[in-house]
Protein backbone atom coordinates (compact mmCIF):
# COMPACT_ATOMS: atom_id res chain seq x y z
CA UNK A 1 0.00 0.00 0.00
CA UNK A 2 1.21 3.47 -0.86
CA UNK A 3 2.33 5.64 2.02
CA UNK A 4 1.89 9.37 2.56
CA UNK A 5 5.18 11.21 3.05
CA UNK A 6 4.95 14.37 5.12
CA UNK A 7 6.20 17.39 3.19
CA UNK A 8 6.66 20.79 4.79
CA UNK A 9 7.89 23.18 2.17
CA UNK A 10 8.85 21.84 -1.24
CA UNK A 11 9.48 23.35 -4.65
CA UNK A 12 8.08 21.50 -7.66
CA UNK A 13 9.63 22.54 -10.97
CA UNK A 14 8.13 21.91 -14.39
CA UNK A 15 5.62 23.22 -16.87
CA UNK A 16 2.91 24.58 -14.60
CA UNK A 17 -0.68 24.77 -15.83
CA UNK A 18 -2.29 27.81 -14.20
CA UNK A 19 -5.63 29.53 -14.90
CA UNK A 20 -3.64 31.95 -17.07
CA UNK A 21 -2.18 29.18 -19.21
CA UNK A 22 0.82 26.86 -19.32
CA UNK A 23 4.03 28.31 -17.89
CA UNK A 24 7.00 26.55 -19.55
CA UNK A 25 9.51 27.34 -16.80
CA UNK A 26 7.36 27.24 -13.74
CA UNK A 27 7.52 26.31 -10.10
CA UNK A 28 5.07 25.53 -7.32
CA UNK A 29 5.89 26.26 -3.69
CA UNK A 30 3.78 23.94 -1.57
CA UNK A 31 3.78 23.15 2.11
CA UNK A 32 1.46 20.90 4.08
CA UNK A 33 -2.05 21.45 2.71
CA UNK A 34 -1.46 24.71 0.83
CA UNK A 35 0.00 26.09 -2.38
CA UNK A 36 1.96 29.26 -1.63
CA UNK A 37 3.10 30.13 -5.14
CA UNK A 38 2.45 28.81 -8.65
CA UNK A 39 4.02 30.66 -11.54
CA UNK A 40 7.22 31.65 -13.31
CA UNK A 41 10.31 30.24 -11.61
CA UNK A 42 12.11 33.53 -12.21
CA UNK A 43 9.50 35.28 -10.08
CA UNK A 44 9.58 32.88 -7.14
CA UNK A 45 9.45 34.98 -3.95
CA UNK A 46 12.69 34.91 -1.99
CA UNK A 47 10.98 33.53 1.09
CA UNK A 48 10.57 30.18 -0.70
CA UNK A 49 13.91 30.08 -2.51
CA UNK A 50 15.58 27.96 0.22
CA UNK A 51 12.89 25.25 0.16
CA UNK A 52 14.21 21.92 -1.16
CA UNK A 53 13.23 20.89 -4.68
CA UNK A 54 11.22 17.74 -5.26
CA UNK A 55 12.58 16.88 -8.70
CA UNK A 56 14.26 19.25 -11.14
CA UNK A 57 12.87 17.90 -14.44
CA UNK A 58 11.53 21.05 -16.05
CA UNK A 59 9.97 19.03 -18.92
CA UNK A 60 7.33 17.43 -16.71
CA UNK A 61 3.81 18.85 -16.46
CA UNK A 62 2.32 20.03 -13.18
CA UNK A 63 -1.49 20.00 -13.18
CA UNK A 64 -4.23 20.36 -10.54
CA UNK A 65 -5.48 17.12 -9.00
CA UNK A 66 -8.46 15.48 -10.65
CA UNK A 67 -11.96 15.77 -9.18
CA UNK A 68 -14.31 12.83 -9.88
CA UNK A 69 -17.96 13.50 -9.02
CA UNK A 70 -19.27 10.17 -10.32
CA UNK A 71 -17.47 7.04 -9.13
CA UNK A 72 -18.99 3.90 -7.58
CA UNK A 73 -15.88 2.15 -6.33
CA UNK A 74 -12.65 0.46 -7.30
CA UNK A 75 -9.98 -2.02 -6.21
CA UNK A 76 -12.67 -4.64 -5.56
CA UNK A 77 -14.94 -2.46 -3.40
CA UNK A 78 -18.29 -0.74 -3.95
CA UNK A 79 -19.37 2.38 -2.04
CA UNK A 80 -22.76 0.75 -1.39
CA UNK A 81 -21.18 -1.89 0.84
CA UNK A 82 -17.95 -0.25 1.99
CA UNK A 83 -16.73 -0.16 5.58
CA UNK A 84 -13.78 1.95 6.76
CA UNK A 85 -11.19 -0.44 5.34
CA UNK A 86 -12.93 -0.61 1.96
CA UNK A 87 -13.38 3.18 1.81
CA UNK A 88 -9.69 3.59 2.53
CA UNK A 89 -8.82 1.19 -0.27
CA UNK A 90 -11.15 2.85 -2.81
CA UNK A 91 -9.74 6.31 -2.08
CA UNK A 92 -6.18 4.99 -2.02
CA UNK A 93 -6.52 3.32 -5.40
CA UNK A 94 -8.09 6.30 -7.14
CA UNK A 95 -5.50 8.64 -5.63
CA UNK A 96 -2.81 6.61 -7.40
CA UNK A 97 -4.66 7.42 -10.64
CA UNK A 98 -4.62 11.18 -10.09
CA UNK A 99 -7.93 11.65 -8.29
CA UNK A 100 -7.49 13.93 -5.30
CA UNK A 101 -11.16 14.70 -4.58
CA UNK A 102 -14.20 12.52 -5.25
CA UNK A 103 -17.87 11.94 -4.52
CA UNK A 104 -18.84 8.51 -3.20
CA UNK A 105 -21.58 7.55 -5.64
CA UNK A 106 -24.41 5.28 -4.55
CA UNK A 107 -26.74 3.09 -6.61
CA UNK A 108 -30.49 2.70 -6.87
CA UNK A 109 -31.25 0.59 -3.82
CA UNK A 110 -33.83 0.30 -1.08
CA UNK A 111 -33.79 3.05 1.53
CA UNK A 112 -32.15 0.85 4.16
CA UNK A 113 -29.26 0.16 1.81
CA UNK A 114 -28.75 3.83 1.05
CA UNK A 115 -29.05 4.67 4.76
CA UNK A 116 -26.26 2.22 5.58
CA UNK A 117 -23.97 3.55 2.84
CA UNK A 118 -24.50 7.14 4.00
CA UNK A 119 -23.78 6.14 7.60
CA UNK A 120 -20.47 4.46 6.71
CA UNK A 121 -19.36 7.32 4.47
CA UNK A 122 -20.25 9.91 7.13
CA UNK A 123 -18.20 8.07 9.75
CA UNK A 124 -15.26 7.77 7.36
CA UNK A 125 -15.33 11.49 6.58
CA UNK A 126 -15.37 12.34 10.29
CA UNK A 127 -11.67 11.42 10.55
CA UNK A 128 -8.70 12.66 8.51
CA UNK A 129 -8.59 11.04 5.06
CA UNK A 130 -5.04 10.25 3.91
CA UNK A 131 -5.79 9.65 0.24
CA UNK A 132 -8.35 11.09 -2.21
CA UNK A 133 -10.69 13.29 -0.22
CA UNK A 134 -14.36 12.28 -0.12
CA UNK A 135 -16.09 15.64 -0.55
CA UNK A 136 -19.46 14.00 -0.02
CA UNK A 137 -21.98 11.75 -1.72
CA UNK A 138 -23.60 11.57 -5.14
CA UNK A 139 -26.95 9.76 -4.97
CA UNK A 140 -27.48 8.19 -8.39
CA UNK A 141 -31.11 7.15 -8.03
CA UNK A 142 -33.40 5.77 -6.80
CA UNK A 143 -35.60 8.47 -8.37
CA UNK A 144 -35.04 7.41 -12.00
CA UNK A 145 -36.95 6.00 -14.97
CA UNK A 146 -37.49 2.23 -15.20
CA UNK A 147 -37.33 2.60 -19.00
CA UNK A 148 -33.66 3.62 -18.78
CA UNK A 149 -32.51 1.78 -15.68
CA UNK A 150 -29.25 0.60 -17.27
CA UNK A 151 -27.18 -1.04 -14.54
CA UNK A 152 -29.50 0.27 -11.80
CA UNK A 153 -31.80 -2.33 -10.22
CA UNK A 154 -35.36 -1.49 -11.40
CA UNK A 155 -36.84 -3.20 -8.35
CA UNK A 156 -35.73 -0.27 -6.20
CA UNK A 157 -36.86 2.63 -8.40
CA UNK A 158 -39.30 4.95 -6.61
CA UNK A 159 -40.81 8.41 -7.24
CA UNK A 160 -38.82 11.40 -6.02
CA UNK A 161 -39.18 11.61 -2.26
CA UNK A 162 -38.42 14.94 -0.61
CA UNK A 163 -39.06 13.38 2.79
CA UNK A 164 -36.10 11.04 2.29
CA UNK A 165 -33.91 13.90 1.10
CA UNK A 166 -34.83 15.99 4.13
CA UNK A 167 -34.12 13.08 6.45
CA UNK A 168 -30.68 12.48 4.93
CA UNK A 169 -29.82 16.19 4.91
CA UNK A 170 -30.83 16.46 8.58
CA UNK A 171 -28.77 13.41 9.57
CA UNK A 172 -25.73 14.34 7.45
CA UNK A 173 -25.78 18.10 6.80
CA UNK A 174 -23.98 19.07 3.61
CA UNK A 175 -22.79 15.54 2.80
CA UNK A 176 -25.09 14.95 -0.18
CA UNK A 177 -23.62 17.07 -2.98
CA UNK A 178 -25.38 15.68 -6.06
CA UNK A 179 -28.58 13.77 -6.78
CA UNK A 180 -29.34 12.12 -10.11
CA UNK A 181 -33.00 11.73 -11.03
CA UNK A 182 -35.32 11.46 -14.02
CA UNK A 183 -36.94 14.91 -14.32
CA UNK A 184 -40.07 13.58 -16.00
CA UNK A 185 -40.98 11.28 -13.11
CA UNK A 186 -43.45 11.93 -10.31
CA UNK A 187 -42.33 14.59 -7.84
CA UNK A 188 -39.09 15.33 -9.71
CA UNK A 189 -39.60 19.05 -10.35
CA UNK A 190 -40.38 19.74 -6.69
CA UNK A 191 -37.33 17.66 -5.71
CA UNK A 192 -35.13 19.64 -8.10
CA UNK A 193 -36.30 22.89 -6.51
CA UNK A 194 -35.60 21.46 -3.04
CA UNK A 195 -32.11 20.34 -4.08
CA UNK A 196 -31.15 23.70 -5.51
CA UNK A 197 -32.43 25.52 -2.40
CA UNK A 198 -30.01 23.34 -0.43
CA UNK A 199 -27.17 24.01 -2.91
CA UNK A 200 -27.12 20.40 -4.08
CA UNK A 201 -26.47 19.62 -7.74
CA UNK A 202 -29.66 18.39 -9.43
CA UNK A 203 -28.66 16.11 -12.29
CA UNK A 204 -30.71 14.28 -14.87
CA UNK A 205 -29.87 10.69 -15.68
CA UNK A 206 -31.47 7.33 -16.46
CA UNK A 207 -34.27 9.36 -17.95
CA UNK A 208 -36.99 9.06 -20.56
CA UNK A 209 -37.48 12.83 -20.61
CA UNK A 210 -38.41 14.72 -23.74
CA UNK A 211 -36.62 17.87 -24.81
CA UNK A 212 -39.49 19.95 -23.40
CA UNK A 213 -39.35 18.16 -20.05
CA UNK A 214 -35.61 18.80 -19.77
CA UNK A 215 -36.07 22.53 -20.42
CA UNK A 216 -38.86 22.65 -17.82
CA UNK A 217 -36.54 20.91 -15.36
CA UNK A 218 -33.78 23.44 -16.10
CA UNK A 219 -36.32 26.20 -15.38
CA UNK A 220 -36.86 24.50 -12.00
CA UNK A 221 -33.11 24.43 -11.31
CA UNK A 222 -31.74 21.29 -12.95
CA UNK A 223 -28.07 22.05 -13.61
CA UNK A 224 -26.24 18.87 -14.60
CA UNK A 225 -26.53 15.70 -16.68
CA UNK A 226 -24.79 12.45 -15.74
CA UNK A 227 -22.82 10.29 -18.20
CA UNK A 228 -23.95 12.28 -21.23
CA UNK A 229 -25.56 10.32 -24.11
CA UNK A 230 -25.85 7.18 -21.96
CA UNK A 231 -29.17 6.14 -20.37
CA UNK A 232 -31.20 9.02 -21.79
CA UNK A 233 -33.47 9.70 -24.75
CA UNK A 234 -31.18 10.39 -27.74
CA UNK A 235 -30.93 13.35 -30.07
CA UNK A 236 -33.11 13.23 -33.18
CA UNK A 237 -33.53 16.15 -35.57
CA UNK A 238 -37.32 16.24 -35.07
CA UNK A 239 -37.34 14.93 -31.50
CA UNK A 240 -34.32 16.33 -29.65
CA UNK A 241 -34.92 14.27 -26.50
CA UNK A 242 -33.02 14.59 -23.24
CA UNK A 243 -29.69 14.65 -25.07
CA UNK A 244 -30.84 17.56 -27.21
CA UNK A 245 -32.09 19.43 -24.17
CA UNK A 246 -28.73 19.12 -22.44
CA UNK A 247 -26.76 20.01 -25.55
CA UNK A 248 -28.81 23.14 -26.25
CA UNK A 249 -29.15 24.55 -22.74
CA UNK A 250 -26.08 26.32 -21.25
CA UNK A 251 -27.63 26.08 -17.79
CA UNK A 252 -26.91 22.35 -17.76
CA UNK A 253 -23.39 21.02 -17.27
CA UNK A 254 -22.60 17.62 -18.79
CA UNK A 255 -20.57 14.70 -17.46
CA UNK A 256 -18.73 12.48 -19.93
CA UNK A 257 -17.13 9.03 -19.63
CA UNK A 258 -14.12 9.36 -21.94
CA UNK A 259 -13.09 5.72 -22.30
CA UNK A 260 -13.71 5.04 -26.00
CA UNK A 261 -16.48 2.62 -25.02
CA UNK A 262 -19.40 4.67 -23.74
CA UNK A 263 -19.20 7.53 -26.26
CA UNK A 264 -17.56 7.96 -29.67
CA UNK A 265 -14.75 10.56 -29.63
CA UNK A 266 -16.56 12.61 -32.29
CA UNK A 267 -19.59 12.89 -30.00
CA UNK A 268 -17.33 13.98 -27.14
CA UNK A 269 -15.79 16.61 -29.42
CA UNK A 270 -19.23 17.98 -30.31
CA UNK A 271 -20.18 18.02 -26.63
CA UNK A 272 -16.96 19.85 -25.73
CA UNK A 273 -17.64 22.51 -28.37
CA UNK A 274 -21.13 23.10 -26.98
CA UNK A 275 -20.17 22.87 -23.30
CA UNK A 276 -17.38 25.39 -23.17
CA UNK A 277 -17.21 28.00 -20.39
CA UNK A 278 -16.92 25.45 -17.57
CA UNK A 279 -19.79 23.15 -18.53
CA UNK A 280 -17.99 19.85 -19.28
CA UNK A 281 -16.99 17.37 -16.57
CA UNK A 282 -14.83 14.29 -16.99
CA UNK A 283 -16.04 11.40 -14.83
CA UNK A 284 -15.10 7.74 -14.52
CA UNK A 285 -18.36 6.06 -13.41
CA UNK A 286 -15.85 3.49 -12.16
CA UNK A 287 -17.16 0.34 -10.50
CA UNK A 288 -15.56 -2.14 -8.13
CA UNK A 289 -13.54 -3.96 -10.82
CA UNK A 290 -11.54 -0.85 -11.65
CA UNK A 291 -7.87 -1.60 -11.15
CA UNK A 292 -8.40 -5.36 -11.23
CA UNK A 293 -8.37 -8.06 -13.90
CA UNK A 294 -11.30 -9.30 -15.99
CA UNK A 295 -13.83 -11.51 -14.21
CA UNK A 296 -17.13 -11.51 -12.35
CA UNK A 297 -18.00 -8.61 -10.08
CA UNK A 298 -21.07 -6.64 -9.07
CA UNK A 299 -22.33 -3.07 -9.21
CA UNK A 300 -24.73 -2.40 -6.38
CA UNK A 301 -26.61 -5.70 -6.11
CA UNK A 302 -26.40 -6.62 -9.82
CA UNK A 303 -23.83 -9.16 -11.13
CA UNK A 304 -21.36 -7.87 -13.73
CA UNK A 305 -18.98 -9.47 -16.21
CA UNK A 306 -15.78 -7.59 -17.07
CA UNK A 307 -14.20 -8.65 -20.34
CA UNK A 308 -11.24 -6.78 -21.82
CA UNK A 309 -11.95 -3.99 -19.36
CA UNK A 310 -15.58 -3.56 -20.48
CA UNK A 311 -18.15 -4.02 -17.70
CA UNK A 312 -21.61 -5.29 -18.66
CA UNK A 313 -24.52 -6.77 -16.74
CA UNK A 314 -24.28 -10.56 -16.51
CA UNK A 315 -27.97 -10.98 -17.34
CA UNK A 316 -27.92 -8.37 -20.12
CA UNK A 317 -24.56 -8.21 -21.94
CA UNK A 318 -25.79 -5.26 -24.02
CA UNK A 319 -26.06 -3.06 -20.92
CA UNK A 320 -22.87 -1.30 -19.81
CA UNK A 321 -22.40 -1.45 -16.05
CA UNK A 322 -20.33 1.56 -15.12
CA UNK A 323 -16.74 1.48 -16.29
CA UNK A 324 -13.21 0.49 -15.34
CA UNK A 325 -11.93 3.94 -16.31
CA UNK A 326 -9.56 6.01 -14.18
CA UNK A 327 -9.26 9.79 -14.31
CA UNK A 328 -5.72 9.78 -15.70
CA UNK A 329 -6.79 7.49 -18.55
CA UNK A 330 -9.84 9.65 -19.24
CA UNK A 331 -7.69 12.78 -19.21
CA UNK A 332 -5.27 11.24 -21.72
CA UNK A 333 -8.19 10.19 -23.93
CA UNK A 334 -9.58 13.73 -24.01
CA UNK A 335 -6.22 15.08 -25.15
CA UNK A 336 -4.87 12.31 -27.36
CA UNK A 337 -8.06 10.94 -28.94
CA UNK A 338 -10.64 13.72 -28.74
CA UNK A 339 -8.17 16.54 -29.39
CA UNK A 340 -8.81 18.81 -26.44
CA UNK A 341 -5.98 21.07 -25.33
CA UNK A 342 -4.30 20.50 -21.97
CA UNK A 343 -6.16 23.54 -20.65
CA UNK A 344 -9.53 22.26 -21.86
CA UNK A 345 -8.98 18.75 -20.54
CA UNK A 346 -7.77 20.08 -17.18
CA UNK A 347 -10.86 22.24 -16.83
CA UNK A 348 -13.05 19.19 -17.48
CA UNK A 349 -11.09 16.98 -15.08
CA UNK A 350 -10.42 19.46 -12.27
CA UNK A 351 -11.90 22.95 -12.34
CA UNK A 352 -15.44 22.35 -13.61
CA UNK A 353 -16.14 19.45 -11.23
CA UNK A 354 -14.76 21.61 -8.40
CA UNK A 355 -17.12 24.35 -9.56
CA UNK A 356 -20.02 21.91 -9.53
CA UNK A 357 -19.23 21.14 -5.89
CA UNK A 358 -18.93 24.80 -4.94
CA UNK A 359 -15.28 24.13 -4.06
CA UNK A 360 -13.59 26.16 -6.80
CA UNK A 361 -12.04 28.50 -4.23
CA UNK A 362 -10.07 25.68 -2.63
CA UNK A 363 -9.39 23.08 -5.36
CA UNK A 364 -9.44 22.67 -9.14
CA UNK A 365 -6.58 24.97 -10.19
CA UNK A 366 -2.98 25.63 -9.23
CA UNK A 367 -3.07 28.95 -7.40
CA UNK A 368 -1.68 30.38 -4.19
CA UNK A 369 -3.99 29.76 -1.27
CA UNK A 370 -5.53 26.60 -2.70
CA UNK A 371 -5.15 23.09 -1.35
CA UNK A 372 -1.93 21.38 -2.37
CA UNK A 373 -3.51 18.86 -4.76
CA UNK A 374 -0.98 18.52 -7.58
CA UNK A 375 -0.15 16.02 -10.32
CA UNK A 376 3.15 15.52 -12.10
CA UNK A 377 2.88 14.08 -15.63
CA UNK A 378 5.43 13.18 -18.27
CA UNK A 379 5.33 14.33 -21.89
CA UNK A 380 3.07 11.39 -22.83
CA UNK A 381 0.67 12.27 -19.98
CA UNK A 382 1.80 9.37 -17.87
CA UNK A 383 1.34 9.97 -14.14
CA UNK A 384 4.64 10.42 -12.28
CA UNK A 385 3.57 11.84 -8.94
CA UNK A 386 0.59 12.90 -6.84
CA UNK A 387 0.37 15.40 -3.99
CA UNK A 388 -2.73 15.56 -1.79
CA UNK A 389 -3.04 18.34 0.75
CA UNK A 390 0.57 19.19 -0.03
CA UNK A 391 1.82 15.69 0.85
CA UNK A 392 3.41 13.35 -1.66
CA UNK A 393 1.79 10.03 -2.40
CA UNK A 394 4.75 7.70 -2.82
Amino acid sequence: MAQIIQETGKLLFGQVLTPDGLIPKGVIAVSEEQIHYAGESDWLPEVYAHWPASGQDTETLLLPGFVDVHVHGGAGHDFMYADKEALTEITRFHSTQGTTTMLATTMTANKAGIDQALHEIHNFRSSPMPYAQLAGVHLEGPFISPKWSGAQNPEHIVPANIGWLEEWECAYPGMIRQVTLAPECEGALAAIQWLRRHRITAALGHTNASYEEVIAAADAGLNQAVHMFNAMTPLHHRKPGAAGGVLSDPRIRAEIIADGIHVHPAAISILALLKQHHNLLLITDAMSATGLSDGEYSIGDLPVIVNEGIATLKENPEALAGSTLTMIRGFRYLVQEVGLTLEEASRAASFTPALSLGMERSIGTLEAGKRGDILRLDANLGLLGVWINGRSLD
Side-chain angles (χ1 to χ4, degrees):
M1 179 178 287
Q3 300 294 320
I4 293 290
I5 300 174
Q6 187 72 22
E7 305 229 333
T8 54
K10 289 284 187 182
L11 298 179
L12 311 180
F13 289 91
Q15 301 178 61
V16 179
L17 185 62
T18 73
D20 296 323
L22 186 67
I23 298 174
K25 295 182 179 180
V27 64
I28 300 173
V30 58
S31 66
E32 184 177 354
E33 296 188 0
Q34 190 177 18
I35 295 172
H36 296 264
Y37 175 83
E40 296 275 2
S41 57
D42 289 345
W43 292 94
L44 177 68
E46 231 177 276
V47 67
Y48 309 122
H50 68 284
W51 285 9
S54 181
Q56 293 279 5
D57 186 354
T58 57
E59 297 304 310
T60 59
L61 298 170
L62 296 172
L63 307 179
F66 299 141
V67 180
D68 191 355
V69 301
H70 192 155
V71 49
H72 293 282
H77 302 285
D78 188 312
F79 278 121
M80 286 300 299
Y81 309 108
D83 56 13
K84 180 179 180 181
E85 182 178 347
L87 290 168
T88 299
E89 187 59 17
I90 294 171
T91 55
R92 184 210 63 80
F93 168 74
H94 282 288
S95 70
T96 67
Q97 306 302 304
T99 299
T100 54
T101 301
M102 59 199 297
L103 290 186
T105 305
T106 62
M107 296 289 294
T108 292
N110 60 35
K111 184 173 180 297
I114 297 173
D115 286 343
Q116 180 61 28
L118 294 177
H119 175 75
E120 291 289 347
I121 294 163
H122 168 73
N123 286 346
F124 183 75
R125 294 177 71 243
S126 299
S127 300
M129 295 174 282
Y131 302 110
Q133 305 293 287
L134 287 184
V137 170
H138 168 187
L139 296 178
E140 188 179 14
F143 315 135
I144 60 174
S145 169
K147 295 181 180 180
W148 294 86
S149 57
Q152 306 274 349
N153 191 335
E155 294 181 6
H156 303 309
I157 294 173
V158 296
N161 192 318
I162 292 177
W164 289 9
L165 294 171
E166 288 177 336
E167 179 183 330
W168 291 327
E169 179 64 18
C170 182
Y172 312 109
M175 189 171 78
I176 296 175
R177 310 297 288 267
Q178 178 172 329
V179 174
T180 293
L181 43 69
E184 77 279 8
C185 292
E186 179 185 343
L189 292 183
I192 290 168
Q193 292 171 336
W194 185 94
L195 291 168
R196 299 305 295 130
R197 285 198 302 271
H198 290 79
R199 299 184 179 180
I200 298 169
T201 294
L204 71 80
H206 295 275
T207 174
N208 197 48
S210 66
Y211 169 85
E212 292 77 14
E213 287 169 327
V214 170
I215 300 305
D219 291 341
L222 183 92
N223 63 331
Q224 199 151 300
V226 303
H227 43 54
M228 185 61 189
F229 300 114
N230 298 113
M232 65 178 65
T233 47
L235 174 69
H236 183 277
H237 60 285
R238 286 191 297 270
K239 201 173 182 181
V246 175
L247 289 169
S248 66
D249 197 322
R251 296 174 294 179
I252 305 174
R253 295 185 291 262
E255 301 175 1
I256 194 68
I257 307 171
D259 62 354
I261 299 164
H262 282 76
V263 183
H264 192 283
I268 300 177
S269 179
I270 293 168
L271 179 67
L273 287 170
L274 290 171
K275 292 299 177 183
Q276 298 183 49
H277 310 298
H278 315 310
N279 267 345
L280 179 67
L281 299 86
L282 173 66
I283 61 162
T284 63
D285 200 12
M287 48 87 69
S288 61
T290 308
L292 302 179
S293 59
D294 288 351
E296 296 196 16
Y297 297 90
S298 64
I299 186 166
D301 58 359
L302 297 179
V304 171
I305 298 292
V306 177
N307 183 26
E308 297 183 351
I310 302 173
T312 58
L313 290 181
K314 186 175 183 179
E315 296 181 1
N316 181 9
E318 297 300 314
L320 293 170
S323 84
T324 59
L325 184 66
T326 61
M327 286 294 281
I328 184 59
R329 283 175 46 215
F331 179 82
R332 273 199 301 271
Y333 191 88
L334 287 180
V335 175
Q336 298 175 351
E337 303 298 330
V338 179
L340 269 59
T341 65
L342 285 175
E343 291 85 350
E344 291 168 337
S346 180
R347 278 197 296 271
S350 301
F351 180 74
T352 302
L355 185 68
S356 79
L357 295 173
M359 298 179 67
E360 71 277 10
R361 294 186 178 182
S362 59
I363 61 173
T365 55
L366 299 179
E367 297 178 82
K370 290 197 172 183
R371 206 165 75 192
D373 295 347
I374 306 164
L375 308 179
R376 189 197 296 275
L377 278 63
D378 63 26
N380 295 316
L381 306 185
L383 190 60
L384 300 175
V386 179
W387 284 259
I388 298 175
N389 283 327
R391 292 169 292 172
S392 176
L393 188 69
D394 189 282

